[in-house]
Amino acid sequence: MSLLVEIIVSLLLVLGGGFALVGSWGLARLPSLMTRLHGPTKATTLGVGSCLIASAIYLPWTTGTYTAHEFLIALFLFITAPVSANMIAKAHIHRQGWRLDPNPADDIVEGLPQTGGPTGWATFWCPPGRQWMGSSLVDGDCIEPPGGSGAS
Amino acid sequence: MIELALKLAFACVSIAILLNLYRLLAGPSRSDRILALDTMVINAIAIIVLFGISQLTTLYFEIALLLAMVGFVSTVAYCKFVLRGDIVE
Amino acid sequence: MLVKLFPHPGLTALLILVWMLLLNNFTLGGLLLGALLGILIPALTAVYWPNRPQIRFGWPILGYLAIVFFDIVIANFQVARLILFRRSKDLRSRWLVIPLELRSPEAIGTLAGTISLTPGTVTSDIAADGRSLLVHMLDVEDEAWEVARIKSRYEARLLRIFQ
Amino acid sequence: MNHLIVLPVLLPAFVAALIMLFRRYTLRIGRTVSIASSLTLLLTAVFLLVQASDGSVASYALGDWRAPFGIVLVLDRLSALMLLLTATLSLLVLWYAIQTDLDRRGWHFHSLFHFQMLGLNGAFLTGDLFNLFVFFEVLLIASYGLMLHGQGAERLKAGVQYVIINLVGSTLFLIAVGVLYGVTGTLNMADMAVRVAAIPPQDQGLLRAAAAVLMSVFALKAALLPLHVWLPRTYANTSPAVAALFAIMTKVGVYSIIRVMTLVFGTGAGEAAWAPAEWMLPAALLTVVIGFAGLLAARGLRDLAAFALIGSTGTLLVAVSLFDEAALAAALYYLPHTTLAAAALFLVTDSVQRRRPENGDSLVPGPRFVSSEALSVLFLMTSIAIVGLPPLSGFVGKLLILEAAQPLPSAPWVWSTILLTTFVGIVALARAGSTLFWKSAAIGEGPLPAARWQRTADLMPATTILLLLAILTVLAGPAMDYMDKAAAQLFLPTAYIEAVLGGQGR
Amino acid sequence: MSLGVLLALPFLGALLCAALYRSSRTVQALAALGANTAAFLLLLSFAPGVIGAGEVVTAKLEWVPSIGLNANLFLDPLGWMFAGLILGIGLLILIYARFYLSPADPMGRFYAFLMLFQGAMLGIVLSDNVLLLIVFWELTSLSSFLLIGFWRARPDAREGARMALAVTAGGGLALLAGVLVLGNIAGSYDLTTILGEREIIQSSPLYPLALGLILVGCFTKSAQFPFHFWLPHAMAAPTPVSAYLHSATMVKAGVFLLARMWPVLAGTDMWFYSVATVGLVTMLIGAAIALFSNDLKALLAYSTVSHLGFLTMLFGFGTPMAAVVGIFHILNHATFKAALFMIAGNIDHEVGTRDARRLGGLLTLMPITATVGIVAAASMAGFPPLNGFLSKEMMLEQAAHTIWADLSWLVPVLATIAAALSVAYSLRFLVHVFLGPKRLDYPRTPHDPPPGMWLPPALLVVLVIAVGLFPAAIAGPLVQSVSGAVIGAEPPYFALKMWHGFTPALLMSALAIAAGAAILWRYAAAESVWTRLPIPVAKALFEGFMRRLVETSYSLDSAIHNGSLQRYLAILFVTAVVLAAGGALTGGGSLTGDRATIPANPVAIIGWLAMIGATAAVIWAQRRRYLALIFISVVGLVVAMGFVHLSAPDLALTQVSVEVVTILLLLLALNMLPRQPPPVSSARRRARDGLIGAVGGVAAGLAAWAVMTRVPNDPISSFHWANAYSGGGGTNVVNVTLVDFRAFDTFGEIIVLGIAALAIFALLETATRGVSGYRLLHWKFETVNSPERHPMMMVVATRLLLPLAIIVGLYIFLRGHNLPGGGFIAGLIFSIAMLMQYMASGFEWADRRARVTRHSLISWGVIIAAATGVGAIVFDAPLFSTAFAHFQLPLVGEFELATAMLFDLGVAITVFGAVMLALAELSHVAQRAEGTIEDDTPMDVDPSRGPREEPA
Amino acid sequence: MSIEFLVASTVAVLTAAGIFLCLRGRTFPVVLGLTMLSYATNVFLFSMGRLVVNRPPIFDEAATDYADPLPQALVLTAIVIAFGMTALVVVLSLRTYLETGTDHVDGDSAPEEECEER
Ligand code: NA
Ligand code: NA
């Protein structure tokens, strides 16, 4: 029994550490932000997840006290990680779209695909007639952002 | 065995943090740095969990919990700043 | 009245569960307090969650969770392989546009989250009319197939959960 | 158990919070509550002074934790004196602020004001070094609020500097307290006094370094050269009424120097005795010189008042840094005098500038203004007080300091500095006054220009201050009796230490 | 007692006159006169005892006994004589002034000042305590400043007043130092005691110091060379003032003090050479300048200088007989000089000029004035049978016997020359003004003034004549008795009489008169010689000195206080480091202690590397602010992780939560700070700052190292550890320390937060108005912004996270007493949760839904925390005493309630309120910069409602 | 390498950076500097209780060794105060900039300090 637990826990730990490393490795070596963005999900999901499971198994087994906080940590991470990623992606396509810090290796150069609907992507789309707030570069109505817009 | 696995895991996550640091410093874009920071926070959570396992204590898990929440808020704020200049509007 | 008391019954349940997990040991007092909080907090914060998504609780949710969990594990290995062994220039990373049938923000949020949590795909943006998602994929062989996979594997299930 | 000692801390806290609650309602409530509370504090301070004047040291164990483990409030003669001074000054300034509608010119004046009093009173009462830090912060942050009250570009600019330099000061304070804890293992000042005496030689360097940094923090607050540099711009750019209240702020630094040096690094401190403050006397002498030179250089009344504050506080610091019992008694007499006198000068400044729409406080002749006669008398009396000429208490104070310094080796320096700077002060203030009141009178003997400000009620607080100074002069004998005993109590801190360490508590 | 009344009367008069500032001039004059007369009568009532019987009246009152500053008064013959001069001449001056001043002059103020001065003068002569004497001494300087500057509109009045104040008050300071030294030698500041300690004083090594300082005081007051220059400029005062101050009172104070101190200070070589020489020189110079002064008042002023030199010289001789002569001349000079000043005033008043060159022939036009003036001037010249002649003769007699540095001729010759000059200027006054032809070009048509203006001088001239004729009868007893007081022994035999036989003095006197007449005869020639003499003008020297003083001060001030915070901070850092280093080096000891160190594991080293890297990056990116903020986050994260590693979970929790709130705050503010990179400082500046930083850093690091490697010194925290659970009811010792052992700190800490929020509110509340509001309104964003304000994903996540965060916060709060957590962290978590909501759905939308005002949250927080503390007092336990108990409830089980938790609740509420107030206010301002958008939706994209706006 | 060395050098580096940044001319770097200084101070103050690994000051009868709770409590107080102060100074800088149009700490739009344009 104890050997089994030890093996499972050890595997989970190695797996967790490994995936955290792989995620960060991806972050470091992949060529563009959008590709790098895939790395950290590994750190989040399997990396931390495995460690948490390992802890959830191992600590009660050794100390005799049960703890459930690992699940809460996981819950929080699972709720927040996609939103973080989404926001980072938005920030990125915004900066790239407006050529604010162009990076030739990046994915937006050839432009975003069309949405398929009448509007553009939320990051760029400004309904006609509405002032594009907070932009001194853009004075009147919407202008066509460089990357991706609605079909119309 | 667990000792060894822990050491390995610690080593992996530590190296991961160094890699994050590299990305954080190297950039090149703002989003890269935000992402690096976000990842670093997640790796820090992993470190805390590993530390808990190695010291046989759950005492520090609330810190991890809080980090998860707070890391999110700051990442979002950094992004919002890039997007809008203003984070609360 | 009941709606006022339980604006989000699912949330109430979740909060009670979280509370019990936080307390870490089961006592009746804890449960009572948790129940109280589970009722009070959603009621107090209801103003910040004005719409009330209709959620069907039951097996579909569990099934969905199981599928997502499974996908996460599998996809993690796939992506790890890509990161470790594929040369950068050989990565066929693409944008996918996923037209949506889901309409409730909560449902779309769940779908987007699912897509992001499963490695290899990141939800990057939503169309300004809310009718499609912009997803970035690390390595795509067949775009149409991937879109269809996401729609059938996740969106279809979510459509059932979020009525 | 006598709980009165906590009132100076508790009441302002409650009152400030309550005024904040009521801020939506009329200002009148705020004013009434504010005045009532200040009066209560004054009465309390008087009561506490009477209580302390019998030489007893009262120690109040907060939370019922006995020293050194909990925080204690300690009432001895010195702290009672400081409480009374604070209460008096703040009541007068409050009166003035209300008279001149200063409290209308921004948000939360009365709350900030009471928080300021809370900080001051706490600092004067606490027997714990870290708690002293906390109250320093309270009084500082309240002072930031008050300093910026009313705003305006110049005030904001000066405020940035004031805030930043004090933040750095707080950092140093923490470092010093930290090392002292690390070396002595305690935070209670009485306990620290006991432990410092037994610090082994290998820890002396660390101990003294920490003490020196601590002194530099206090010196920063006390505006001791070269750390006084922040003061002129700050005080000249806040509203003079607030600057009048701030006259007590430099005294917090002085108080802290006196308290920590005599208690912890005093005669009983063994090897480290008096060591942390050996550099202070030359610095204080130079401070006096710079302060009075600034008086000559000032181009506006506000500058003038700021430098007068530096100069007179410097004089006080000279007396303090002699670290001699008689000199300390003299310093304690001079302390309330200089605080009140500087405050009066700021109030007069405000009254003048309020009445001169074109020239404000600048020292250029301008048209005659409303009640310039009365103001000229006030200015004259205030100048007499500030410079230390007879017949006001400044003279008695300087006399006491000179007399006390006489037997000490540093006497030539002290004497020549004080006397020469007094001379410079006379010249400078005569120049200023003659320009402001006489030369201005020469310009327009015609009808008075219509001014926004026609009342004379705002002259009452400054007049009252002068009256108080007159009383302090007449009653110099009894006052010195108190100060002598207070100095004796400070120089022989065994009673203090026993009262604190032998006090009640769990 | 009655001495006290005597002294108080003038002051009362001053007060009365000030109070009557609205009454008629006559009423004001009567008030002053009343006080003066009463005092004079009271003084006269002492005459039989004091002058007649040689009694000394005393009044003792302790003032500051600890330093021997007593309000002791005494009235001896010397004091009586001076008091008589002060009050007697004062009376005449008051009458004179009533008629002299024009209706435009504020009479009440004038009388108030004059009576104040009179009181101060009286104080000097009545003081039995040298410190008290200084008080009055300086008071005369001050009141004379006011009197001289009475015609404030005149620049010469202002300058003269300031000069007089600077010189006399400055001299007073020297005098103060002198008497302090003297008092310390004698062991008392009481004059009567000091006067008995001649031996001790003169043998003390400090005697020269005391003497020098006291003489500076006397010489400045009495306008002795080289301090003589201020007196003529004081003539800008109204004539009654000049008459009073410069004949009988102010300037005589210095002479009075010489007389007063004579018994203990005089008789040494040092005294002789300093006092007599200065007196002699002053006598000569004053007379010479007087002769060539055209302004009558200047002439009189320099004559006064000269006569004061005369007196000083006499006292300087140090012989009893010379002192007797001095006393006699004090009396005489007061009478004729006061009369002369008033005469000069009358001339000025009636003719409209005081320029001797424009006067002449007034004898027929103003017969009374001229008669009085001629007699007084003749007395000044020393013509018999007037009183001036008597004392001058006696002076010359004394001078004749005085040997100065083995030169027996020097003093007599010089004294004779001075006397000759004195004759010359007196004759000039007499001849050039009253005699000679009438002139046609007077500014006004002169005639005698009203009796009020000629009676007072006439009365004095009567005295001049009377004393001259019957000196022994009128002045004899007084001089006898006063001399006794001055000398401190029976005075030598002297005879006050006109004819002493053919003495050297008579010869000298005759020579002087002849020479004086000759000079006046050839006045024009003499004047042309005089104007060609290269004499440095003392006034210019003084003013140059003052100017240089001001300039030096100004350059010192602007050099030191240049307004640069960078410099101020550098000074602060350097000072702290230098002091610390000084302390460390003088204290000595070892750097490293005996405590075993803990080996660092690789993870810690990597964290350390991350910290170093991030810090370097912050420095590198300081001008690229956004990046700097990201980097600084890493530092915060590493510090938090360090706290985890080093057993400080509470700190880690706090660090993590504070960090994010700080970042949010900085991001909010950053948005509105200028984004263009500021110019960088020069390489030299950076190198300097880097050096300061490095030294400061090393110092802090060494201190940390030194403490960490030492074995703890029995810290008090062992008590906290041992008693946290048993006494505080909690197992988290840190929390128990915060809410129980050191609850008072925590109380202060939340107040700091509350005040910070208030101050922030007060600052930002006005930001939308004025210049700042304009700047906000015309905000130009430097980059393109995305149009999306409230991303859907974020809003959805927040809906779930807000309740979750709240419940986590509650949990952290509740467990804080026993496990890491507590009110502060909980408050921050609530704030973060709410901020998340604000970020997601916008300020307006979220704020409209907030139910509590943030101000009242702060108030309530503070009130709850304080009230918890006060609760203890109700049970007569000290403030902030806590109580806790374990309760058993059916179903629920055992739970603990502690008052400390209530306190912690106050903490949480305050923190929440403060953070929200600050950040909400900041968001509010930021929003103003963007302009308000109608915003009633929580998210921009809401597919459930269909597209919000149909595209065109 | 010991933990003590790491902590001491951390204090040194943070302090040095803090001082350097505080001496800059614009408000933003100065705020950064103050933040750095406050990190440094907190770590410093914390280290005054000496360093212990995994002996958190949670009372336990059985515990023989524990981290000194007092410096931790002090640091907590210091953190809170520093937070309030930072908030204030940030807002003040902003407000001053809005009012005066310059973010130089001396309030001069053309700073006197020696500068070179980069
Ligand atoms: Na993903
Ligand atoms: Na962060």
Side-chain angles (χ1 to χ4, degrees), chain A residues 52-110:
Chain A
L52 287 167
I53 297 170
S55 157
I57 298 172
Y58 183 65
L59 286 182
W61 180 63
T62 46
T63 63
T65 52
Y66 288 83
T67 158
H69 289 194
E70 291 90 340
F71 297 108
L72 288 174
I73 298 171
L75 179 69
F76 261 91
L77 281 177
F78 277 44
I79 296 174
T80 57
V83 186
S84 300
N86 178 245
M87 291 300 290
I88 294 172
K90 271 175 178 292
H92 181 69
I93 59 177
H94 169 70
R95 299 273 297 180
Q96 291 294 317
W98 288 102
R99 301 268 186 277
L100 290 175
D101 37 19
N103 176 0
D106 230 309
D107 320 66
I108 297 189
V109 185
E110 64 265 39

Side-chain angles (χ1 to χ4, degrees), chain B residues 37 41 67 70-71 74-75 78, chain E residues 632-634 636-637 656 659-660 663:
Chain B
L37 181 62
V41 170
L67 261 186
V70 150
S74 45
T75 302
Y78 284 123
Chain E
I632 210 165
S633 248
V634 177
L637 182 65
V656 165
E659 179 76 17
V660 66
I663 293 292

Side-chain angles (χ1 to χ4, degrees), chain C residues 66-87:
Chain C
I67 284 175
V68 171
F69 185 73
F70 179 77
D71 286 358
I72 286 175
V73 176
I74 299 300
N76 252 306
F77 281 98
Q78 289 172 348
V79 173
R81 205 190 64 229
L82 287 178
I83 290 177
L84 290 173
F85 305 115
R86 182 78 63 87
R87 277 182 298 176

